């Protein structure tokens, strides 16, 4: 307890500049993405070849070898199938996700709010706070409700507004892709989802554009640019394509080769040596509509990609680099200025947590100050000087307003932005300047005894609270409720949610009890719940059933603690049924 208080105090006493630099110095971002796919019957017309599914699979293949998390939601007017966030730790995990997409089937009716609401919930349940969250939504039209359900547009709109607020409050951008094959797409409605959450909206008349759009979304979210590579028509022989790796800071080069027919590829490094595909240096992912080569820490210089396709087949190639680079902004001397003051800014690249000294990286880059007047809403771009190993710029304050300022640096293959800083010109300017006389020193206040007294009192109060909490836990049973749904894997039918209040139970509770002791679900009598501390419950699995949490199987033979909002699935072995359980307090 004492160590935690000291650590908290140490963090509070860190200079603001240190915290700003530490945040900005993080390396390549990892993401938590939920892919949301419309699987209504109308997609059979707008995307008969399921290119949307292929594009989503390509997005998964473009992700780094490990560290990111991906979830999947397939919806009509209800959730058809879903997969909680799965952490990618190996190529097998990517195959797991892509195999899930391949198994998706079509269904009747459409309610976009259902898919978005579930995607937001999946991120709320399992997102890593250190990752960048995002939702990618693919839809082909408007809502189409089942009249028998009684569902109305106003009810759908209300659910959507609630989901959008949760996404915006949690910093989750929604990227929307509208497939307008029949000309009935409500582009404005999809664009609103993106505009409200800070994402981007795309629309196309052809499903063939979807792989390119997914490449642009991948690049945009990670502050990268899609590097243009000329398309060509195959002639049945190997044709050369130059792939230029611009510098030594490239972590990965993703080369996507899109063709409706089989292609073969070879790769030569800058020295002209052929690099085996696949190998330790190059990963290969293939699908029926694309091949993706991932070059790991590629050597700087001009590589040669040799592609052989079926005669007269059009071949498109996209190139996206991923970098271990971020952009930091030197702390300002003050955040309060006067009209007419000139504020100097200095920004620099960071790699591996350290300032990048490699001037070759800066040589092809340009940077601007993005100055947003918070009183008028207008944003101004001011070019910065490239000083070789940093960017320097000055902004002269025009009005007595508040301003939000950040730096954007860019080259052909990527861009980076700093965190925004806010300054004000509404006061009387900086509190002190070098020309002002120093204030008369005041007698120091004896802080140490006060701090020790406060800390000691806090420890005593915390200890007393902790003891009372334990006593309270020891004398009560369960709290909260379990929400239970059962899906028949043979038919795909899912029961309506059943809300089981736990307050009437003491000691321990069998899952079989909550299922009305149904004989076909007898194996659940060895799945036991017990009250836990801090309003949690503990699950112990003695059955042959498989327990999954956040999309991964867990060993619950000992104990699995569940807090409010946690969700698990129980896959039964004796019957083809899956039980979905959510714990709520």
């Amino acid at each position: 307890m004492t160590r935690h208080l000291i650590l908290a105090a140490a963090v509070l006493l860190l200079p603001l500049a240190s915290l700003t630099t530490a945040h900005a110095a993080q390396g390549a971002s990892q993401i938590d993405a939920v892919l949301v796919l419309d699987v209504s019957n109308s997609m059979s017309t707008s995307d008969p070849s399921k290119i949307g599914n292929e594009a989503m699979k390509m997005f998964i293949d473009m992700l780094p070898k490990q560290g990111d998390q991906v979830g999947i939601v397939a919806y009509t007017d209800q959730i058809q199938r879903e997969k909680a966030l799965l952490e990618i730790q190996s190529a097998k995990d990517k195959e797991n996700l892509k195999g899930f997409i391949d198994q998706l089937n079509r269904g009747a009716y459409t309610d976009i709010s259902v898919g978005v609401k579930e995607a937001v919930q999946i991120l709320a349940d399992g997102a890593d706070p250190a990752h960048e969250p995002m939702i990618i939504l693919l839809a082909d039209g408007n809502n189409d409700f089942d009249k028998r359900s009684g569902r109305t547009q106003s009810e759908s709109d209300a659910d959507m507004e609630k989901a959008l607020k949760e996404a915006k409050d949690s910093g989750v951008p929604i990227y929307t892709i509208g497939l307008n094959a029949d000309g009935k797409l409500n582009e404005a409605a999809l664009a609103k989802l993106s505009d409200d959450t800070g994402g981007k909206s795309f629309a196309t008349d052809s499903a063939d554009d979807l792989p390119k759009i997914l490449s642009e979304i991948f690049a945009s979210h990670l502050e990268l640019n899609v590097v243009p590579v000329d398309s060509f028509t195959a002639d049945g022989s190997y044709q050369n394509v130059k792939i230029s790796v611009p510098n030594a800071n490239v972590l990965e080069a993703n080369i996507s080769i899109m063709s409706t027919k089989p292609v073969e590829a070879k790769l030569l490094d800058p020295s002209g040596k052929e690099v085996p595909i696949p190998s330790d240096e190059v990963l290969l992912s293939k699908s029926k509509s694309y091949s993706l080569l991932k070059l790991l820490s590629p050597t700087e210089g001009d590589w040669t990609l040799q592609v052989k396709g079926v005669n007269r087949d059009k071949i498109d190639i996209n190139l996206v680099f991923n970098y271990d680079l971020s952009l930091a902004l030197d702390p300002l001397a003050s955040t309060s200025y006067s009209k007419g003051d000139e504020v100097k800014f200095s920004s620099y690249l960071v790699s591996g947590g350290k300032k990048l000294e490699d001037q070759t990286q800066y040589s092809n880059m340009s940077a601007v100050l993005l100055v947003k007047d918070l009183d008028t809403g207008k944003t101004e771009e001011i070019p910065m000087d490239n000083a070789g190993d940093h960017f320097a710029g000055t902004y002269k304050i025009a009005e007595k307003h508040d301003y939000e300022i950040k730096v954007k640096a860019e080259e052909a293959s990527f861009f980076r932005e700093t965190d925004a800083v806010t300054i004000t010109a509404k006061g009387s300017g900086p509190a002190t300047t070098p020309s002002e006389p120093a204030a008369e020193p005041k007698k120091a206040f004896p802080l140490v005894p006060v701090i020790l007294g406060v800390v000691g009192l806090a420890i005593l109060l915390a200890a007393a609270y902790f003891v009372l909490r334990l006593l309270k836990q020891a004398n009560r049973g369960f709290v909260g409720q379990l929400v239970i749904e059962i899906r028949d894997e043979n038919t795909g039918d899912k029961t309506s949610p059943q809300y089981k209040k736990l307050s009437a139970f003491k000691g321990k509770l069998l899952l079989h009890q909550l299922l009305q002791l149904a004989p076909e679900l007898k194996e659940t009598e060895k799945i036991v719940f017990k009250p836990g501390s801090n309003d949690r419950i503990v699950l112990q699995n003695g059955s042959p059933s498989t327990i999954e949490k956040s999309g991964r199987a867990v060993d619950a033979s000992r104990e699995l603690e569940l807090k409010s909002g946690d969700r698990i699935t129980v896959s039964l072995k004796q019957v083809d049924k899956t039980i979905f359980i959510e714990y709520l307090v």
Side-chain angles (χ1 to χ4, degrees):
M1 183 71 178
T2 303
R3 186 173 67 179
H4 291 170
L5 287 170
I6 293 173
L7 177 60
V11 171
L12 289 172
L13 293 173
L14 280 173
L16 181 60
S18 299
L19 292 176
T20 302
T21 302
H23 176 75
Q26 294 174 357
S29 297
Q30 291 183 316
I31 67 175
D32 287 344
V34 180
L35 312 179
V36 185
L37 290 85
D38 180 349
V39 292
S40 59
N41 286 331
S42 61
M43 291 290 285
S44 299
T45 301
S46 56
D47 186 13
S49 299
K50 296 187 176 180
I51 295 176
N53 291 15
E54 294 295 299
M56 292 292 192
K57 288 158 60 178
M58 190 183 76
F59 178 89
I60 293 169
D61 280 329
M62 291 179 70
L63 297 173
K65 291 193 300 181
Q66 57 185 27
D68 294 320
Q69 295 191 112
V70 176
I72 302 168
V73 173
Y75 74 94
T76 52
D77 62 335
Q78 57 187 335
I79 301 301
Q80 295 296 319
R81 293 196 67 187
E82 71 173 87
K83 191 173 189 67
L85 288 171
L86 173 66
E87 182 180 357
I88 297 174
Q89 297 179 329
S90 66
K92 184 177 180 180
D93 290 326
K94 289 190 176 183
E95 292 303 319
N96 182 336
L97 291 163
K98 292 187 294 181
F100 185 89
I101 292 175
D102 284 335
Q103 295 170 9
L104 299 178
N105 296 316
R106 305 292 194 203
Y109 309 109
T110 309
D111 187 348
I112 298 175
S113 70
V114 169
V116 174
K117 179 181 177 181
E118 189 65 17
V120 172
Q121 185 63 52
I122 285 176
L123 287 171
D125 289 344
D128 187 328
H131 289 193
E132 296 283 345
M134 66 185 301
I135 292 171
I136 302 176
L137 169 68
L138 173 63
D140 76 334
N142 303 309
N143 287 338
D144 177 21
F145 303 117
D146 181 357
K147 294 180 180 179
R148 295 170 299 179
S149 70
R151 177 77 161 174
T152 65
Q153 185 64 51
S154 60
E155 290 173 335
S156 177
D157 290 343
D159 284 347
M160 181 66 83
E161 286 301 319
K162 181 179 178 182
L164 288 181
K165 184 179 185 306
E166 291 176 5
K168 186 175 181 178
D169 292 346
S170 302
V172 180
I174 300 176
Y175 294 83
T176 60
I177 308 171
L179 187 52
N180 194 24
D182 60 1
K184 298 179 180 179
L185 179 71
N186 189 341
E187 292 186 34
L190 291 180
K192 182 180 184 300
L193 305 187
S194 298
D195 293 342
D196 286 353
T197 59
K200 289 187 176 182
S201 182
F202 300 83
T204 178
D205 296 334
S206 172
D208 293 338
D209 293 333
L210 295 178
K212 182 179 179 181
I213 291 173
L214 264 293
S215 295
E216 292 183 20
I217 291 174
F218 174 87
S220 176
H221 191 70
L222 295 179
E223 298 186 341
L224 306 170
N225 291 325
V226 177
V227 180
V229 177
D230 290 338
S231 301
F232 63 91
T233 301
D235 60 9
S237 63
Y238 281 102
Q239 296 168 267
N240 292 347
V241 178
K242 185 172 76 171
I243 303 294
S244 296
V245 176
N247 54 68
N249 296 297
V250 174
L251 285 178
E252 297 177 344
N254 291 287
I255 307 170
S256 54
I257 307 169
M258 285 160 285
S259 171
T260 58
K261 298 179 180 179
V263 298
E264 299 177 40
K266 295 181 181 180
L267 192 63
L268 307 180
D269 68 16
S271 70
K273 178 184 176 182
E274 183 173 351
V275 179
I277 303 174
S279 64
D280 291 340
E281 300 176 62
V282 182
L283 304 181
L284 172 65
S285 304
K286 299 191 73 171
S287 184
K288 63 183 181 181
S289 62
Y290 70 87
S291 296
L292 188 134
L293 305 180
K294 184 184 289 289
L295 282 59
L296 305 176
S297 301
T299 304
E300 179 181 352
D302 291 337
W303 293 62
T304 301
L305 174 66
Q306 299 181 329
V307 180
K308 179 180 179 181
V310 175
N311 190 35
R312 298 185 180 180
D313 184 34
K314 183 184 177 183
I315 295 178
D316 294 319
I317 299 176
N318 284 330
L319 175 61
V320 178
F321 295 114
N322 199 2
Y323 286 84
D324 178 21
L325 289 173
S326 56
L327 190 65
L329 181 65
D330 277 335
L332 299 177
S334 173
T335 57
S336 180
Y337 297 90
S338 299
K339 179 180 178 180
D341 283 351
E342 292 189 347
V343 186
K344 296 185 180 298
F345 294 87
S346 178
S347 181
Y348 55 89
L349 294 169
V350 174
S351 177
K354 298 180 180 179
K355 180 178 179 179
L356 185 70
E357 305 290 350
D358 181 9
Q359 295 194 14
T360 59
Q361 175 65 70
Y362 290 87
S363 61
N364 296 320
M365 299 190 69
S366 60
V368 295
L369 281 171
L370 300 175
V371 182
K372 182 177 182 180
D373 187 322
L374 297 178
D375 290 43
T376 65
K378 295 182 179 179
T379 298
E380 183 180 0
E381 284 193 13
I382 301 172
M384 299 181 74
D385 294 328
N386 188 329
D389 63 350
H390 70 282
F391 306 103
T394 302
Y395 176 64
K396 185 175 182 179
I397 297 177
E399 302 292 342
K400 292 183 177 181
H401 293 173
D402 291 331
Y403 298 89
E404 182 182 84
I405 304 175
K406 60 184 176 181
V407 176
K408 179 178 181 179
E410 186 171 17
E411 59 124 83
S413 61
F414 80 102
F415 68 94
R416 290 291 185 268
E417 292 183 355
T418 66
D419 289 337
V421 296
T422 302
I423 63 174
T424 183
K426 292 182 176 178
S428 57
T432 61
T433 65
S435 61
E436 293 177 352
E440 181 179 348
K442 297 181 180 180
K443 185 176 180 181
F445 186 82
L447 289 177
V448 173
V450 173
I451 292 175
L452 291 177
V454 171
V455 171
L457 179 60
I459 293 172
L460 289 174
L461 290 174
Y465 174 81
F466 182 70
V467 171
L468 290 173
R469 183 76 170 176
L470 287 178
L471 290 173
K472 184 179 178 181
Q473 291 284 346
N475 290 303
R476 71 174 186 177
F478 293 87
V479 296
Q481 60 185 336
L482 291 177
V483 185
I484 299 176
E485 297 173 271
I486 303 174
R487 184 175 66 203
D488 188 322
E489 298 300 339
N490 293 318
T491 65
D493 294 334
K494 184 190 286 188
T495 65
S496 300
Q498 303 174 45
Y499 295 82
K500 306 288 186 179
K501 294 192 176 185
L502 304 178
S503 56
F505 298 94
K506 300 285 185 182
K508 70 176 183 179
L509 167 66
L510 306 182
L511 177 56
H512 200 212
Q513 293 174 257
L514 298 178
L515 302 175
Q516 283 82 45
L517 304 177
E520 63 173 342
L521 306 177
K522 184 175 175 59
E523 66 184 278
T524 61
E525 67 183 2
K526 292 187 178 180
I527 299 177
V528 182
F529 294 98
K530 296 182 293 185
S533 58
N534 299 319
D535 292 343
R536 303 187 180 195
I537 59 175
V538 175
L539 179 147
Q540 188 170 12
N541 181 25
S543 76
S545 305
T546 300
I547 308 290
E548 290 188 7
K549 185 172 184 286
S550 299
R552 300 187 67 87
V554 296
D555 181 8
S557 59
R558 296 182 179 178
E559 283 187 347
L560 174 64
E561 187 178 70
L562 301 177
K563 64 181 183 299
S564 181
D566 280 352
R567 296 191 295 175
I568 60 171
T569 60
V570 181
S571 299
L572 304 182
K573 298 297 183 182
Q574 298 174 5
V575 291
D576 292 329
K577 294 184 183 294
T578 300
I579 303 173
F580 299 83
I581 301 174
E582 181 177 11
Y583 176 52
L584 299 174
V585 175

